[in-house]
Amino acid sequence: MDDVTLEGLLEEDRLFAPSTEFVSNALVVDGTFAADADFESFWAAQATELLDWDVDFHTVLEWKHPFAKWFLGGKLNVSYNCLDRHVISGHGDQVAFHWEGEPGDSRVISYTEMLAEVCRTANSLKSLGVEKGDRVAIYMGMVPELAVAMLACARIGAVHSVVFGGFTADSLRARINDAEAKVLITGDGAWRRGGIVELKAIADDAMSGTPAIEKCLVLRRTGHDGVAMIDGRDVWWHDLVPSQSDECVPESMDAEDLLFLLYTSGTTGSPKGIMHTTGGYLTQVAFTHKYVFDLHPETDVFWCTADCGWVTGHSYIVYGPLANRATSVMYEGTPDFPDKDRFWQIIEKYKVTTLYTAPTAIRTFMKWGSEYPAGHDLSSLRLLGSVGEPINPEAWVWYFENIGGSRCPVVDTWWQTETGAIMVSPLPGKTVAKPGSATFPLPGIGADIVGDDGEPVGIPGGGYLVLTHPWPSMLRGVWGDPQRYIDTYWSRFDKKYFAGDGAKRDGEGYFWLLGRVDDIMLVAGHNISTTEVESALVSHPAVAEAAVVGKTHETTGQAIAAFVTLRSGYEASQELVAELRAHVAEQIGPIAKPQSVLFTDDLPKTRSGKIMRRLLRNVAEDESLGDTTTLADPNVVAGIKALYAADATDDDA
Ligand code: 7RM
């Protein structure tokens, strides 16, 4: 950040305390967790309380900076903790998943059924030659068998590597090869807005260059013709799995045995295989899922709208909810199929109590208009969550009012693939929330904000978010590249984990996440966060979503270029450009006023929905776009580039 502290200019003084009704039944209220318990004993207590161990651990933490081992000597099986123990305790009939298919078909799957299918699938994997420690790649749509496949791997001690079903053959091939996966589990196809994504055809292309792959297990989902099966390599799920025994003894795993790899692309270099292990990961996902979402397993219906191809799906569709015996909704499709009210229809149908989704979705719903949620009974909801990007205060308030009926606490949860589980978040029965702030680190977590010199900036202050001590679900490394683990996360600051996010703390110590540090802008000597300027824009009634970037400017170093999508009912105009620029100046200060504002129908996003500002910077600088393979839709940025070139709203006034 060029030795200038991140300023943190946007102010927010709206406060949202949990209602007395919510507090009266909440798992965590003021005083539930001792404020200054030492973090090792804290996590040891959670591990013992939340999980069933085959053998107790003898040592809580071994910390050989920056390599951590948690719960040494402990043995357990993740699938046993997610399934068997709930059946044994008499809850086998409880629904594990209400699954909703995109075309409108649905399935109800109990814990007993889930366990039987996981055992059959685990036995199938064994019959295909999979052994403890082997890697299994999974490339599927959002069908129950995806969760089953993950748990089947966990049951026999195989390491899964789920690759999001929207990735290309090249991306899949690179991930399979890096992990040297022996088996690939895929489907014939996946439904996507009424069309079919031909998963098997893409997988075949990928497998044309994957020497380690021996077998491919294929689930029939879309049932379309012409799916080619290669003799000796490919096996239909329905030909293998149903005939297997529904009993499979769970492999007792060391706490530090690898549970899964999950590849993250980041902004530079090849994807990193983030390594997560067994005991620490399950402890922290169970803890956070229980207390951040105030889980009451007898009455709640939990819905995390992520895809299992991302860490959010791993931790809060599969492992956290199942470890806690939650009843979840799992949905196959997109929010706008067949119409823009699909989410609200699902919430009404299953009486969802807890919704966990992303700011990109919330801003899209704002853009579509509040009549879609207003047409449905959402009164079952009692808690709302957000993850993936900073949530703009205006989007937070829209979510609170239009989805939560002004009655549900909102938990804005900060975490990463690398952290494995939620790290910074309100506790809904305790924390007084401020829209746009992830509030405070959870119990057992050490987070701080430091300047360029690595020294804490204090309160209030802005700089880089760091984690100050190990946590149970932390990544254990980058697969095959220990040096990259050290360089990426542990070298920027001495003895502190560098998260790559800018952040500030306000006068009351609340944490505000301000976006990736690569995105921070330097305007006339001021470090300005993209998040804050975007939030100022989104607070204008015409704006649904905004992305801002810094572009080279001869006098100020950088100037701010804004890209804005409008809410339905608003029209682009020169007057609106002037109004938005004035609005930002008023909200933050003249220094943050965008030099240009371009109206666009869409913003470039990654497949997991995060705005890709690097590409907008290329557009603003009139540079070539470079690598666009992580984009959900490369056409969007090409369209913006053409618009930008034709636009003349640049104005230095
Ligand atoms: C869970 C997930 C991680 C990055 C992270 C941040 C951003 C995620 C929030 C957030 C502000 C949040 N994993 N991020 N959650 N920023 N507030 N509540 O998204 O590995 O895919 O991304 O996402 O930049 O570093 S991830």
Side-chain angles (χ1 to χ4, degrees), residues 519-521 528-538 545-551 559-564 584 588 592-597 603 611-614 616-617 620:
D519 290 333
I520 287 163
M521 305 172 292
I528 297 178
S529 97
T530 51
T531 300
E532 291 188 303
V533 179
E534 289 161 10
S535 290
L537 286 162
V538 172
E545 189 155 44
V548 303
V549 298
K551 66 178 252 190
I560 299 175
F563 300 80
V564 166
V584 174
I588 302 188
K593 194 157 135 178
Q595 186 194 36
S596 64
V597 177
L603 296 170
I611 298 174
M612 265 190 92
R613 292 175 192 76
R614 176 181 64 78
L616 293 174
R617 212 148 47 225

Side-chain angles (χ1 to χ4, degrees), residues 311-312 386-390 412-418 499 501 513 516 610:
V311 73
T312 306
S386 172
V387 60
E389 286 182 296
D412 172 9
T413 63
W414 179 88
W415 60 294
Q416 309 176 297
T417 305
E418 293 87 341
D501 285 328
L513 275 300
R516 300 295 293 169
K610 298 184 207 289

Side-chain angles (χ1 to χ4, degrees), residues 503-526:
K504 70 175 180 185
R505 245 183 304 176
D506 67 17
E508 292 172 297
Y510 281 70
F511 282 72
W512 295 79
L513 275 300
L514 299 177
R516 300 295 293 169
V517 295
D518 319 323
D519 290 333
I520 287 163
M521 305 172 292
L522 187 60
V523 183
H526 298 267

